[in-house]
Amino acid sequence: MNLDLHTHRILKQCDTLAGFSEEAGRLTRTFLSPPMRGVHACLSEWMAEAGLDVRIDAVGNLIGRKPGRRPNPKVFVTGSHVDTVPNAGKYDGILGVLLGLAALRELSDRTFAHAVDLIAFSEEEGIRFSTSYLSSRAVCGTFDFNWLERKDAAGIALAQALRDYGLDPAAIPAAAYPPGMVAGYLEIHIEQGPILESLGLPLGIVDAIIGQSRLAIQFTGQAGHAGTQPMELRRDALAAAAEFVVRVERTARETPGLRATVGSLIVEPGAVNVVPGKVRLTLDVRHAQDAIRHKTVADLVEVATVLGRDRQLGIDLSPSMDQAAVPSDPELTNRLANAVRAAGQAEKRMVSGAGHDAATMASICPMTMLFLRSPGGISHHPREAVLAEDVKVALDVMIRFLEAELDRER
């Protein structure tokens, strides 16, 4: 086993795939955008070289299968996503796919009782159509067909985007695994935070993925001339939004384990000499305990409502996500911990503050996750990085884990 060679190849492949972007000089690759074709072409070639049977499903998931010895075997699944946020780093999601590819390349001469599918999920970030996990929901049979009417910023409906990519929306039900077919799911992902680096550890075992709530909020007041409109008569939508942002931050600071973020503000008309008449903003709330998350959202909705009433503003609230916290499967996670210890690494258990396709996959099978250290704790940013030695250790763990899991009696 030449882990150094595999690690060098993985990092070069990350560089190659980072070149497929919608923007020059920045990595931006949204769901079924033209650069995704380049990613699919490279991954298809690499999967075939590793001896995998390659196919693409109706939502653009690229899947490579290593067949098992048994007829109609259960399938173990591993993978991650290949879409990005705007101006992204080059390891979020894609590293997990390439680690799975390298592990299956190393195991290409071995036969196992059970099949394994490596999935490059086409959509996880929720950027293009403001809905996350489109592709993993299709795999799990929970795709909402009302989403096909959603439109992107260019006015293209999801159904049309699928057809433009050469896919058939009517075939989406066939993308789902039959009930009981998936034996388990492993996702390897960069941590996207500073905890492992602060502890001097390369890897962490994920015990749970925190729950998430997302809302769009709009304050509507009255635009007016900045020089002639008296302060006491103003209905300034931005002033209300600013006060709300500060309340969100204060709430998160005062609640242990809570993450709450206003990540986007759109101000209209957006001129230096005009009192803002309309502001649209986003709210993202996360916590490992759903009860705390739900109470926080309710409290912040009340804050926004009171601010709107006191300032004589209209207010509109539109929930866009309510993702429950998802625990990892204890038995599968313990077996992952066995592989971590066998590779000579410390067993660090932790909670994921970010959402992952693993949260969706947990609805149909046992799920577990492994984190890699993120130098500087930076992600969703061009300075996102990994250490080669951490990639090497993660690959060692993955190979050990798959060797045991694919011959496990079920």
Side-chain angles (χ1 to χ4, degrees), residues 76 182-186 205-209 326-337 349 358-359 361-369 401 405 408 410:
F76 193 89
V182 180
Y185 177 76
L186 167 67
I205 300 167
V206 176
D207 275 331
I209 300 171
V326 180
S328 300
D329 179 77
E331 293 185 8
L332 189 64
T333 301
N334 285 338
R335 297 200 291 273
L336 177 61
R349 301 289 184 116
M361 293 298 292
S363 68
I364 63 167
C365 67
M367 171 277 291
T368 193
M369 285 194 73
F401 176 82
E405 205 63 29
R408 184 178 176 79
R410 305 192 186 282

Side-chain angles (χ1 to χ4, degrees), residues 81 92-93 124-125 189-194 352 354-356 371-374 377-380 384:
H81 63 96
D92 178 3
E124 186 255 15
E125 298 288 4
H189 205 283
I190 58 172
E191 179 195 351
Q192 303 180 275
S352 173
H356 301 282
F371 273 170
L372 280 78
R373 169 170 40 193
S374 291
I378 298 171
S379 185
H380 285 183
E384 180 179 275

Side-chain angles (χ1 to χ4, degrees), residues 67-102:
R69 291 190 303 267
R70 295 179 180 174
N72 301 317
K74 285 196 171 186
V75 177
F76 193 89
V77 178
T78 187
S80 194
H81 63 96
V82 295
D83 65 323
T84 77
V85 298
N87 198 25
K90 58 185 176 183
Y91 303 105
D92 178 3
I94 198 70
L95 181 64
V97 177
L98 295 173
L99 277 163
L101 178 61

